[in-house]
Amino acid sequence: MKFKFLLIAFLYLSCARLIAQDSKFFSTKGDRLYKDSNYTDAEESYRKANDLKPEFKNKYNIANSLYQQGRTKEAGDYYEKSLQEAESDKAKSKAFYNLGNAYFEQKNYEKSIQAYQESLKRNPKDQEAKQNLVLAKKQQQIQQQQEQKQQQKDQSKDPQDRENQKQENQQQKNQEDKEKKENEAQKQKQDQNEEDQKEKSEETKSDKLSKEEAEQLMRMVEDQDKKIRERIQKNQSRKAKKAKDW
């Protein structure tokens, strides 16, 4: 019984290991998740499949998952990668078509047009590619017209408006220069006040020391004078006593 259990466990682990190494398992799982609109998990499954078996289908599916998430720039990169491994015209046509859609969403109509044209070279009967090509050309024309109008608007500005704008810019620059000079003057004044305060503090300290020295000197003079007076009084006392004896 114990041997049977170990055998079952071994077979289960072996199957799990084989499944984990089978790109088809992850690819099929990704297809199921993609069908359920779970594009984030589908992308993860397709990436695992591609890691085990790098091929057109897996890269193409990764790109589709990214596109459905709105990550059109990343999707475009993976459509480009899938084209490098595409072998049939059918695969290339689908990849170029979706690449055109990715560029269209990015408003890069020039590259979108090129991608649709490449798709139609491989599949001239693709009506959706033809319709999208027409739409991309129309959007490119609108975009170019808007850019031209903006350029004309910039070029046709009233000279007086340009002069007024120039004067406003100069006034703003003058104001900024004035504020800068005022700030520098204020800082210089503050630094000077700090320097004066420092010198004043040092002078006060010096005066204090001189006063103390003067008082000490005065005490020394007074002590010396006191000693002189005491000596004189002592001498006078001796003379008086001697005179009295005489």
Side-chain angles (χ1 to χ4, degrees):
M1 186 69 180
K2 184 177 180 181
F3 175 77
K4 184 177 181 180
F5 173 78
L6 292 174
L7 180 61
I8 293 173
F10 174 77
L11 292 174
Y12 174 80
L13 293 174
S14 298
C15 290
R17 189 179 296 106
L18 289 174
I19 290 174
Q21 294 177 353
D22 186 7
S23 65
K24 187 176 180 180
F25 168 80
F26 290 109
S27 179
T28 303
K29 181 181 178 181
D31 292 341
R32 185 172 65 254
L33 292 168
Y34 188 93
K35 186 177 180 180
D36 293 339
S37 300
N38 190 348
Y39 303 118
T40 303
D41 291 342
E43 175 200 346
E44 182 180 355
S45 294
Y46 288 139
R47 286 185 183 276
K48 289 180 180 179
N50 188 65
D51 289 340
L52 294 170
K53 188 177 181 181
E55 60 180 1
F56 166 81
K57 181 181 177 181
N58 291 329
K59 290 182 174 62
Y60 179 79
N61 287 336
I62 292 172
N64 288 339
S65 300
L66 291 168
Y67 181 86
Q68 294 296 343
Q69 295 177 63
R71 296 156 62 184
T72 55
K73 177 64 172 64
E74 296 173 75
D77 293 339
Y78 264 91
Y79 285 129
E80 294 279 7
K81 292 178 181 179
S82 70
L83 282 166
Q84 295 176 4
E85 300 185 21
E87 296 180 355
S88 66
D89 285 339
K90 181 180 178 180
K92 292 179 180 180
S93 176
K94 292 173 67 175
F96 273 119
Y97 174 81
N98 286 353
L99 179 61
N101 291 342
Y103 281 130
F104 188 94
E105 291 297 325
Q106 298 173 51
K107 301 186 186 307
N108 190 338
Y109 301 117
E110 182 178 356
K111 287 189 175 182
S112 178
I113 291 170
Q114 293 175 357
Y116 290 138
Q117 289 173 340
E118 291 296 329
S119 176
L120 287 169
K121 286 180 182 179
R122 276 84 179 174
N123 184 13
K125 296 181 180 181
D126 190 341
Q127 293 300 319
E128 291 183 350
K130 291 180 180 180
Q131 293 173 1
N132 286 1
L133 176 60
V134 172
L135 183 59
K137 287 183 176 180
K138 184 178 180 179
Q139 289 298 122
Q140 184 188 44
Q141 186 178 5
I142 294 174
Q143 187 181 62
Q144 291 174 346
Q145 290 174 350
Q146 291 175 344
E147 292 175 352
Q148 289 175 358
K149 287 181 179 180
Q150 185 61 41
Q151 291 176 357
Q152 291 174 358
K153 184 178 179 181
D154 294 339
Q155 294 173 358
S156 63
K157 280 186 177 180
D158 188 355
Q160 184 61 41
D161 292 340
R162 291 199 297 270
E163 182 63 25
N164 292 338
Q165 184 65 41
K166 183 178 179 180
Q167 291 179 0
E168 289 179 4
N169 294 337
Q170 185 62 40
Q171 290 176 357
Q172 183 177 359
K173 185 177 183 301
N174 293 340
Q175 181 65 24
E176 291 176 354
D177 293 341
K178 181 180 178 182
E179 292 177 355
K180 183 178 179 181
K181 290 179 180 179
E182 289 178 351
N183 292 334
E184 290 177 352
Q186 185 176 1
K187 185 177 183 302
Q188 186 176 2
K189 183 177 180 181
Q190 183 178 356
D191 294 342
Q192 185 62 41
N193 290 338
E194 292 177 355
E195 185 68 23
D196 293 343
Q197 187 67 25
K198 183 178 179 181
E199 291 179 358
K200 185 177 180 180
S201 175
E202 292 177 353
E203 289 176 359
T204 302
K205 183 177 179 181
S206 177
D207 293 343
K208 186 177 179 180
L209 292 174
S210 300
K211 186 177 179 180
E212 291 178 354
E213 292 175 354
E215 290 178 353
Q216 185 178 5
L217 182 60
M218 183 63 70
R219 287 195 297 270
M220 292 175 62
V221 171
E222 289 177 354
D223 291 342
Q224 186 67 25
D225 186 58
K226 183 180 179 181
K227 290 180 180 179
I228 293 173
R229 289 199 303 271
E230 289 177 352
R231 192 179 301 114
I232 293 172
Q233 290 176 359
K234 187 175 181 180
N235 292 334
Q236 290 176 351
S237 175
R238 290 177 180 175
K239 289 180 181 180
K241 185 177 182 182
K242 185 176 182 181
K244 187 177 180 180
D245 291 342
W246 178 83

